[in-house]
């Protein structure tokens, strides 16, 4: 055996430099680790000062409990911590930093000194530095007020390979500022100061635990528009509490750069959490866009493992499915409850789109409160089941699942109107493709002769108060409805709005009962892993509720015997495989429901009023009232906004009135 292949113990500096590769990526990583220690020390004021983006100097000063002289030599030692002492402590971690690696790792790749004064130490403070290859700590007296200061100079000075990966000063400071933003959003009660090159960048006073104070912090960190376009949510079930702010679907970003999720005060980037939030937005978010949110999940520390990654960005929940379903259902209901039933918030800029900017309390039971009085109950046609695409009325023949989708959609709408002719004018069924909208005298005659008595009876309203979307005054180019409100003017995309209304009604009625299913004449055999086969057996009832019947034909083979009638023409095997993968990873899958909803969305699109369709004023007002009653009416099925509002103040500013 050669000398180079013999096993030896690494010297402490080299071991710490290797560990630094996990927790010290750039100056922002250093700031995060040191500030988390300051938070755990009970600090009420934390100041962060940088030079050259943090590569030259990082100074973090706090007013916490400090470190006594006797503990200072251990403060820079590896695997030394005051926050856990046993395995039981590790299973009930409530602090942010507990591994005892950060300071030792940072000191091995920089020139670090720590100055601290414990609350009960009359000597005035002590300084500790680690020197030499063995990183022996050296403690000397140093005056310092109560608390701790950590100074990190010349990051990566002794590891050139790591230093060359640092970016420009501006880029590195941007990463530090983002880390600072996350920390400031994690604790509203702490006063925060950030300086760069002797200039104050952020100075955030600590705020009380009331919503107004927290919103001031949110506005300072993310801008006023975030709050103008966000909903406040606060829900609690046994052992779980979720609160914070979620952006309206119409206010989205091209990048996922305003997404902050905290678990017991610790910011995390978790796949299960991301999946649940993405599902909640799936029906209202425009493709390629990302939602914005600042959310806080609180639960018993014993049911969440924060020790699964060195940087502690990832967590593992003991009951991931429960957490996933709680997040999804809470946010899904919150977004669904947003309807134009309150005036939108005033916008600072004239002409700025603020359609749908309403904050509405989450309703625990949408079905019970959608029509709160007997007079407001939906008409009978809304409470009956719609025929599915490709499904004939009784006595008209078998289901023709092999017909083209367009034909099946036309039959769906025809069957619907055959069962409910009284609602045809309310649904504003489009003319046949290719038919021209009437114009001139023909248009006048058509409008005069069109019956309007069949429009759905509107709920009783207070005549002294105008409805949220106002009253229709005109139709613009056969595409938009102009309405006058108490605040100003509303513009509605009539096709997009009606598409959402029809879509939501179809979803409610089809998903209210069992989906029509179609047995396969020849079952589809599907090879799966042993884990997927186990999931299929465990989730048999869940698949059955969605119209899918799976049987085991072997330890790694499944037979697909039945599928939903709506998906009879689809390639079902990849869909089932994806569902099994979701169930294995997240404990939940919405892929089948999503595919069904995609078909319903297509039907709704074909069954909605088209552009150039001339509407009467009663029809336009009926559409506005339906929007006020319909969930998610602020966006069409594709995530585009359905309406926008301009207040009188915005109009006056646009035309320079009063200036």
């Amino acid at each position: 055996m050669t000398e180079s292949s013999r096993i030896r113990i690494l010297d402490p500096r080299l071991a710490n430099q290797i560990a630094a590769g996990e927790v010290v990526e750039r100056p922002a990583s250093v700031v995060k680790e040191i500030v988390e220690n300051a938070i755990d020390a009970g600090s009420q004021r934390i100041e962060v000062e940088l030079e050259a983006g943090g590569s030259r100097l990082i100074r973090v000063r706090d007013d916490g409990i400090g470190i006594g002289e006797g503990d200072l030599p251990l403060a820079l030692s590896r695997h030394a911590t005051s926050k856990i002492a046993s395995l039981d402590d590790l299973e009930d971690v409530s602090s942010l930093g507990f591994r005892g690696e950060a300071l030792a790792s940072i000191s091995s790749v920089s020139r670090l000194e720590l100055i601290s004064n414990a609350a009960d130490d009359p000597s005035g403070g002590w300084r500790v530095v680690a020197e030499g290859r063995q990183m022996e700590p050296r403690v000397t007296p140093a005056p310092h007020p109560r608390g701790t200061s950590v100074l990190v100079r010349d990051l990566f000075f002794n590891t050139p390979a790591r230093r060359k990966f640092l970016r420009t000063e501006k880029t590195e400071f941007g990463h530090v500022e983002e880390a600072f933003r996350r920390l400031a959003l994690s604790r509203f009660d702490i006063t925060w100061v950030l300086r760069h090159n002797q200039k104050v960048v952020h100075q955030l006073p600590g705020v009380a635990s009331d919503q107004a104070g927290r919103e001031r912090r949110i506005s300072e960190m993310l801008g006023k528009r975030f709050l103008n376009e966000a909903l406040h949510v606060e829900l609690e079930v046994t052992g779980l509490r979720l609160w914070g702010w979620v952006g309206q679907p119409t206010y989205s970003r091209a990048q996922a750069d305003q997404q902050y999720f905290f678990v017991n005060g610790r910011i995390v980037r978790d796949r299960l959490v991301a999946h649940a939030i993405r599902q909640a937005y799936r029906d209202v978010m425009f493709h390629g866009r990302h939602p914005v949110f600042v959310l806080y999940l609180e639960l018993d520390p014993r049911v969440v493992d924060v020790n699964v990654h060195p940087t502690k960005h990832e967590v593992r929940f003991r009951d991931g499915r429960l957490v996933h379903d709680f997040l999804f259902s809470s946010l899904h209901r919150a977004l669904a409850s947003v309807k134009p039933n309150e005036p939108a918030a005033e916008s600072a800029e004239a002409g700025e789109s603020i359609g749908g900017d309403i904050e509405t309390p989450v309703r625990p039971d949408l079905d019970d409160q959608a029509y709160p009085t007997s007079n407001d109950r939906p008409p009978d046609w809304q409470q009956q089941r719609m025929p599915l695409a490709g499904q004939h009325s009784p006595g008209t023949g078998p289901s023709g699942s092999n017909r083209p989708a367009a034909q099946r959609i036309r039959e769906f709408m025809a069957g619907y109107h055959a069962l409910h002719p009284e609602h045809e004018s309310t649904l504003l069924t489009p003319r046949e493709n290719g038919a021209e909208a009437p114009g001139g005298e023909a248009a006048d005659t058509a409008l005069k002769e069109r019956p309007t008595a069949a429009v759905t009876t509107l709920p009783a309203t207070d005549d002294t108060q105008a409805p949220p979307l106002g009253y229709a005054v005109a139709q613009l180019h056969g595409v938009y409805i102009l309405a006058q409100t108490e605040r100003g003017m509303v513009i509605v995309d009539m096709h997009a709005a009606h598409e959402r209304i029809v879509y939501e009604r179809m979803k409610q009625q089809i998903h209210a009962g069992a989906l029509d299913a179609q047995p396969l004449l020849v079952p589809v055999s599907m090879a799966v892993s042993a884990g997927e086969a186990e999931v299929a057996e465990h989730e048999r009832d869940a698949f059955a509720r969605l119209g899918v019947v799976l049987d085991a034909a072997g330890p790694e083979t499944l037979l697909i015997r039945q599928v939903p009638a709506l998906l009879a023409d689809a390639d079902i095997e990849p869909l089932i495989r994806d569902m099994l993968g979701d169930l294995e990873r997240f404990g939940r899958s919405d892929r089948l429901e999503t595919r069904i909803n995609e078909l319903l969305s297509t039907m709704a699109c074909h069954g909605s009023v088209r552009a150039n369709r001339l509407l009467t004023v009663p029809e336009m007002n009926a559409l506005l009232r339906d929007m006020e009653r319909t969930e998610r009416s602020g966006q069409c099925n594709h995530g585009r906004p359905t309406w926008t509002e301009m207040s009188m103040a915005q109009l006056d500013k646009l035309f320079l009135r009063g200036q």
Side-chain angles (χ1 to χ4, degrees), residues 419-442:
L419 290 175
H420 311 291
E422 76 283 356
H423 191 63
E424 185 168 1
S425 63
T426 306
L427 274 180
L428 307 175
T429 308
R431 292 177 173 80
E432 292 297 328
N433 291 337
E436 294 294 333
E441 292 185 11

Side-chain angles (χ1 to χ4, degrees), residues 149-188:
S149 291
V150 181
L151 290 83
V152 178
R153 294 186 174 89
D154 303 325
L155 185 63
F156 301 136
F157 79 98
N158 55 356
T159 51
R162 299 284 305 281
R163 188 174 181 85
K164 71 179 182 180
F165 282 99
L166 292 180
R167 303 303 180 188
T168 64
E169 177 179 323
K170 180 179 179 181
T171 299
E172 293 301 336
F173 176 71
H175 285 284
V176 172
E177 188 175 23
E178 177 60 22
F180 179 87
R181 183 177 292 110
R182 295 173 180 175
L183 292 162
L185 291 175
S186 72
R187 289 289 299 269
F188 293 93

Side-chain angles (χ1 to χ4, degrees), residues 210-228:
D210 61 291
Q211 183 175 335
R214 291 168 173 170
E215 288 183 347
R216 285 195 299 272
R217 173 72 60 85
I218 295 285
S219 179
E220 291 171 333
M221 289 286 92
L222 302 179
K224 292 182 179 179
R225 192 179 177 192
F226 179 95
L227 280 179
N228 289 340

Side-chain angles (χ1 to χ4, degrees), residues 117 167 169 256 326 476 492:
N117 183 1
R167 303 303 180 188
E169 177 179 323
F326 173 65
L476 182 64
V492 174

Side-chain angles (χ1 to χ4, degrees), residues 82-96:
S82 62
K83 300 167 187 178
I84 59 172
S86 67
L87 182 60
D88 291 337
D89 294 335
L90 188 61
E91 293 178 351
D92 190 13
V93 173
S94 58
S95 59
L96 297 177

Side-chain angles (χ1 to χ4, degrees), residues 253-327:
R253 308 275 292 184
Q255 300 176 358
D257 58 347
Q258 287 194 1
Q259 298 184 348
Y260 302 90
F261 192 89
F262 300 86
V263 176
N264 291 342
R266 180 193 309 277
I267 191 161
V268 300
R269 295 192 298 266
D270 186 80
R271 288 184 299 174
L272 182 143
V273 169
H275 184 265
I277 296 175
R278 189 167 59 248
Q279 279 190 318
Y281 277 92
R282 68 171 182 255
D283 215 14
V284 291
M285 183 63 64
F286 192 64
H287 60 82
R289 304 291 292 182
H290 300 272
V292 299
F293 53 83
V294 179
L295 291 171
Y296 302 82
L297 177 65
E298 299 172 3
L299 70 169
D300 188 337
R302 291 172 294 184
V303 299
V304 56
D305 184 2
V306 298
N307 194 32
V308 297
H309 192 275
T311 63
K312 301 180 289 293
H313 278 153
E314 299 177 11
V315 296
R316 182 181 295 117
F317 299 100
R318 180 177 299 175
D319 191 343
R321 183 166 188 169
L322 173 65
V323 173
H324 183 285
D325 289 351
F326 173 65
L327 294 176

